[in-house]
Amino acid sequence: MTERPSVSEMMNDFGRHVAAQLRQTPEVIETDGQIDTSDLFIDVAKWRKYPQVSCTFADLAGSTSLRNGRWEASTASIYDAAVKPAVRILSDFGADFIDVQGDAAFGLFTGKYSQRRAICAGITIKAFGERILMPALEKKWPTNTPQTGFKVGCAISDLLSKKIGISRTDHHAPVWAGRAVNYAAKCSQQASAHQMIVTKPIADIIRRNEYLWYSCQCGNDPTPLWSEQHVEKVSGKDSEGLLLTSSWCETCGDSYCDKICSGSWRRPDLDSKRNRLAFDKYQQVIKFRDQNSRQIRRGING
């Protein structure tokens, strides 16, 4: 063990460090393309700025209870069984950067169709927890089954990044400054097991994509899959999010996911529904104009 400085020496050294950092105005370098953590700065006042990075954050529900009582000895196997597939899913959908934080993992997506890939990765992680993980736990512990599954959040923003820590050692890591990671984590915290919550910028993308917004034809008439959700502890319009409780259809899921990730948004099977919705909206506009014109003629428009 190396000789450590005294506490007072540490405080004096850190005081000089803080003063030096606050005197500086860090340089922000606009960086296009994929995130490359080997290219991040360390020990210099330079940050890279990545535009419009999508973050998918997956958190294992009920993990605290897994560490208590009869599940304590099995926690390690449950963590490994759950978190590794989540990381694999983030990787398979092309995340540039993936980090594991205990019982949670998040991925950062840039590049072509990055928002769509981030959304699909989140839905797939949620589906894994519900369809694979929970049935396996129920089979192993048929009575008093540990209740878990993934809570997923998704958000998007510009991100600043650099490495912070001690250079030339293993004690440093990338830091991500910006809303995307923070808001995606808050979305996952608010969700329950097998649920996904997204912020408004992601919600706007979902609403414009018929493969994401509507259910497939396997059931009744296609209906919206997402419901309005206020995201707590998220400021401004970003809090006007959406909640998803359903998952990929076992019949259509593969094809829908492929179409979403390859840029498709318009479903041919919804042509009649789309025309009907457009006609209904047109009728509403005409009705409003008629009502407004009558009010003007009667002199009751204020």
Side-chain angles (χ1 to χ4, degrees), residues 18-273:
V18 170
Q21 291 299 314
L22 296 183
R23 282 196 301 268
Q24 299 181 27
T25 301
E27 181 182 357
V28 176
I29 299 173
E30 301 279 349
T31 306
D32 293 323
Q34 291 187 329
I35 295 171
D36 180 5
T37 55
S38 66
D39 198 35
L40 296 179
F41 299 103
I42 186 171
D43 286 343
V44 292
K46 291 183 178 181
W47 292 72
R48 293 201 176 277
K49 181 179 180 180
Y50 297 96
Q52 293 300 282
V53 179
S54 299
C55 177
T56 299
F57 198 103
D59 190 10
L60 195 61
S63 58
T64 302
S65 63
L66 297 178
R67 294 192 290 267
N68 297 327
R70 63 174 296 185
W71 309 122
E72 186 174 13
S74 303
T75 299
S77 62
I78 295 175
Y79 272 33
D80 203 350
V83 178
K84 184 175 180 178
V87 173
R88 282 282 307 277
I89 291 168
L90 293 170
S91 176
D92 288 344
F93 277 94
D96 294 6
F97 175 83
I98 300 171
D99 193 17
V100 177
Q101 301 179 346
D103 57 357
F106 73 85
L108 302 180
F109 296 79
T110 65
K112 192 173 184 180
Y113 306 134
S114 55
Q115 297 99 332
R116 299 172 182 222
R117 290 186 283 111
I119 296 166
C120 289
I123 298 172
T124 306
I125 292 173
K126 188 177 77 65
F128 155 72
E130 189 170 13
R131 292 184 188 172
I132 305 298
L133 180 62
M134 276 308 301
L137 296 180
E138 290 168 355
K139 183 177 180 180
K140 184 174 179 62
W141 294 287
T143 59
N144 196 19
T145 307
Q147 296 301 307
T148 186
F150 279 102
K151 309 181 299 176
V152 182
C154 194
I156 183 172
S157 75
D158 294 346
L159 284 182
L160 299 178
S161 184
K162 69 172 293 187
K163 292 178 181 177
I164 294 181
I166 306 173
S167 61
R168 295 180 294 280
T169 72
D170 294 332
H171 308 307
H172 60 76
V175 171
W176 308 98
R179 297 188 305 274
V181 179
N182 184 29
Y183 282 6
K186 292 183 184 302
C187 286
S188 71
Q189 291 166 5
Q190 187 172 337
S192 300
H194 318 314
Q195 291 184 348
M196 180 174 177
I197 295 178
V198 304
T199 57
K200 186 178 187 300
I202 297 293
D204 291 341
I205 295 167
I206 292 168
R207 288 190 179 94
R208 294 194 296 267
N209 193 302
E210 294 175 349
Y211 289 98
L212 283 167
W213 181 247
Y214 289 108
S215 60
C216 63
Q217 297 280 8
C218 291
N220 297 321
D221 185 48
T223 57
L225 294 168
W226 301 73
S227 58
E228 302 295 327
Q229 177 68 54
H230 174 74
V231 186
E232 299 173 0
K233 300 180 182 179
V234 167
S235 61
K237 287 187 174 295
D238 276 12
S239 65
E240 300 171 7
L242 290 173
L243 166 69
L244 177 69
T245 58
S246 59
S247 187
W248 296 118
C249 170
E250 296 193 28
T251 302
C252 306
D254 287 348
S255 62
Y256 274 35
C257 183
D258 289 343
K259 288 181 181 298
I260 294 164
C261 291
S262 61
S264 298
W265 67 269
R266 187 184 181 98
R267 282 170 48 182
D269 61 304
L270 293 183
D271 286 345
S272 61
K273 184 180 185 70

